[in-house]
DNA sequence: ATATCATACAATCAAATGGTTGTATTAGAA
DNA sequence: TTCTAATACAACCATTTGATTGTATGATAT
């Protein structure tokens, strides 16, 4: 099993990259098929350069990778990164569960559970 | 089962809110215990107002809710929102899987699979 | 009643973000 | 070779973000 080795900065970049509808759409499209930057650019009502920048943000977050193919760059989504994000969210859930566990222990004590103090 | 009813804006806010280490820490802490805004503020090397703003961002993203308790506001993490984020990431994974399925169908054809065209 | 603690909120500011246009480079097509 | 399509990248601009300080309000404690 691969250890989750992400710096806080990496996590910031990861979630930030996902916090934009155009970028999420790019991730979707590049997960289901190989697409070039110019093909992507044709789909959105913004300049080529703007799309290029969105791809760059996704690339820094390692949510996609670019691979040269002739004179164009094919963009491919990186599912592993998505899974890392999922594991991060899982850890929140585990924290929450640990709280419930502690509450259960309190409730199981001989003495009645003290109110939150 | 609850339908995932989030606008693009909601999703933007959700991921954006998670794209900051202080805010993620606040979510963690408020998932495991009830904490007031001032208790939170004591933990970070920034002004009370700055922490207040982080909490406000989390609140707009509905990752936490504030509940008045006497003169202080208790902040409580909202696990449902985390789970919604998880479901969003799941949908990426499903998209990817659909691609694999389509590739499998191609490979199962009589004719040898054509190269990506 | 008064002092204090917890919060709310406005004004301000530097830096980052998301977009633009323009110019340069590079690879394929004619 | 020459033209063109795909990309790279710089400069610029408006808006948002993340922080600050200062002031006001409300609830507790003395």
């Amino acid at each position: 099993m691969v250890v989750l080795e992400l710096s806080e900065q990496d996590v910031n970049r990861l979630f930030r990259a996902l916090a934009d509808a155009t970028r999420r759409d790019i991730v979707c499209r590049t997960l289901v098929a190989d697409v070039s930057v110019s093909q992507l650019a044709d789909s959105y009502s913004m300049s080529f350069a703007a799309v290029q920048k969105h791809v760059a943000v996704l690339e820094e977050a390692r949510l996609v990778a670019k691979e040269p193919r002739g004179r164009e760059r094919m963009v491919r989504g990186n599912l592993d990164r998505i899974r890392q994000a999922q594991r991060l969210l899982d850890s929140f859930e585990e924290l929450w569960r640990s709280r419930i566990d502690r509450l259960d222990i309190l409730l199981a004590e001989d003495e009645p559970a003290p109110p939150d103090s």
Side-chain angles (χ1 to χ4, degrees), chain A residues 63-82:
Chain A
L63 276 164
V64 305
K66 272 189 302 188
E67 186 188 354
R69 175 106 94 197
R71 66 178 149 181
E72 56 205 326
R73 310 300 148 129
M74 305 309 287
V75 185
R76 55 171 29 242
N78 175 12
L79 189 66
D80 283 344
R81 210 58 164 181
I82 298 283

Side-chain angles (χ1 to χ4, degrees), chain A residues 30-45:
Chain A
T30 58
L31 278 173
V32 300
D34 281 8
V35 200
S36 71
V37 179
S38 51
Q39 282 176 316
L40 287 171
D42 287 340
S43 324
Y44 308 107
S45 58

Side-chain angles (χ1 to χ4, degrees), chain A residues 13-54:
Chain A
R13 270 192 280 265
L14 179 51
F15 284 121
R16 183 128 226 335
L18 290 170
D20 179 279
T22 303
R23 288 195 293 260
R24 283 192 302 275
D25 194 64
I26 291 175
V27 171
C28 287
R29 290 187 55 190
T30 58
L31 278 173
V32 300
D34 281 8
V35 200
S36 71
V37 179
S38 51
Q39 282 176 316
L40 287 171
D42 287 340
S43 324
Y44 308 107
S45 58
M46 66 182 77
S47 67
F48 177 85
V51 174
Q52 243 183 339
K53 280 198 191 179
H54 281 304

